[in-house]
Amino acid sequence: MNEGVYLFILWEKARDKQDVILKDMGKNFRILKALDVEWSQENFSRNLSRFYGEKLPDFSHKERHCGRGKFLLLVIRDESPNMENRVTSKGTSLVNTRVFDLKAKYREWTGGGHKIHCSNSLAETRHDLAMFFGLEAKSIISQVKSDETIRSVKKDLVGFDGWDSFDQLFYVLNNTSKYVVLRNFEDFPTAYTLDAHNDIDFLSDSSYDLRSIVNGVPVFNKGYRVHDRFTVGGESV
């Protein structure tokens, strides 16, 4: 369960307010993990697109607004969540108003816009943690002790250079996507078996989102058929 666990990001251009935000946040939540994250410059745009599920061009307005440098990632636990319906960028949703309202306040402190990211719901938390941490998200969610020490990490989103295993791949998909595997799924994820077609057939509510999350490379795409490749355990799938 990840009840009460949320993820905040202070993008580069919000970090001049980092100290005051951390002090205020400490009055409301327990910080489970704090990371000073650096994405590679050549992959920054792709990472941002995968994370937000938007097809963003290189040096998009969002990048220029938020910055392409190191950002602060915080995983927090709220011991007293207050769930209410609020209007979000994706319509009316059930959110924890305590984190939702603090996000709005921190955005105001940093000059407006979207220099602060926060997961609004448990589903968004699962998505965000899976994209950043993969299977490691399980231990972060179950973490009891607070750890406010800021540690530096230099890595792109999980799966960017291929997947370590099908366990890792399907853990991320199950926490980020709406999909089904149409056949040859009986032994997943522990065993990967194929028939003569030598592929995996996914049915998804968005081919773009699924391609972006698995980090697929298009082989064939003419509308009626989408054919991508990605790597798992060093092997092309």
Side-chain angles (χ1 to χ4, degrees):
M1 294 291 292
N2 62 328
E3 186 174 357
V5 176
Y6 298 88
L7 181 143
F8 274 86
I9 292 176
L10 280 64
W11 295 111
E12 178 196 15
K13 292 191 176 180
R15 297 194 69 175
D16 59 333
K17 300 295 184 181
Q18 177 174 311
D19 291 345
V20 66
I21 289 175
L22 286 175
K23 183 177 180 180
D24 186 71
M25 190 174 289
K27 298 175 183 177
N28 297 277
F29 310 123
R30 285 198 296 117
I31 296 177
L32 302 181
K33 201 172 190 69
L35 296 176
D36 183 59
V37 182
E38 182 180 2
W39 282 344
S40 59
Q41 287 298 299
E42 63 270 25
N43 296 331
F44 195 97
S45 300
R46 178 63 173 162
N47 282 321
L48 204 64
S49 292
R50 290 182 70 208
F51 183 65
Y52 280 112
E54 302 176 32
K55 195 170 184 178
L56 299 170
D58 290 348
F59 301 101
S60 64
H61 171 74
K62 183 181 284 287
E63 285 184 39
R64 298 193 303 273
H65 173 69
C66 296
R68 291 173 56 93
K70 296 179 182 179
F71 55 90
L72 183 68
L73 183 151
L74 301 167
V75 182
I76 62 96
R77 187 182 298 278
D78 182 5
E79 305 290 358
S80 304
N82 180 52
M83 308 304 295
E84 294 180 9
N85 284 315
R86 288 288 178 87
V87 177
T88 74
S89 59
K90 298 180 180 179
T92 301
S93 301
L94 185 66
V95 303
N96 181 355
T97 59
R98 281 166 47 83
V99 297
F100 187 83
D101 291 344
L102 279 183
K103 176 179 67 173
K105 180 170 74 171
Y106 297 159
R107 285 181 170 179
E108 183 179 348
W109 285 2
T110 54
H114 298 84
K115 300 169 191 173
I116 303 291
H117 169 83
C118 173
S119 54
N120 288 325
S121 64
L122 300 185
E124 191 172 1
T125 295
R126 290 194 297 269
H127 171 280
D128 292 356
L129 291 179
M131 292 299 289
F132 271 102
F133 301 106
L135 287 168
E136 187 188 345
K138 294 180 181 179
S139 61
I140 295 172
I141 291 171
S142 61
Q143 187 171 320
V144 177
K145 294 182 179 180
S146 300
D147 185 359
E148 299 184 13
T149 304
I150 300 176
R151 293 178 169 81
S152 296
V153 59
K154 187 175 182 178
K155 61 180 295 187
D156 295 314
L157 287 181
V158 65
F160 197 93
D161 293 324
W163 302 92
D164 296 336
S165 65
F166 277 101
D167 279 315
Q168 183 191 52
L169 169 66
F170 281 106
Y171 178 84
V172 172
L173 284 177
N174 289 341
N175 285 278
T176 58
S177 307
K178 294 179 181 179
Y179 78 96
V180 294
V181 177
L182 297 182
R183 54 188 171 83
N184 296 329
F185 55 81
E186 290 83 357
D187 297 324
F188 284 172
T190 56
Y192 171 42
T193 58
L194 298 175
D195 62 11
H197 293 285
N198 197 34
D199 61 11
I200 303 174
D201 289 337
F202 288 98
L203 180 66
S204 172
D205 63 342
S206 170
S207 60
Y208 172 77
D209 285 348
L210 192 65
R211 166 183 286 164
S212 178
I213 290 167
V214 304
N215 204 29
V217 177
V219 176
F220 182 95
N221 187 359
K222 291 188 177 179
Y224 63 91
R225 181 186 176 201
V226 179
H227 180 189
D228 286 22
R229 289 189 181 275
F230 53 92
T231 60
V232 180
E235 296 185 4
S236 178
V237 177

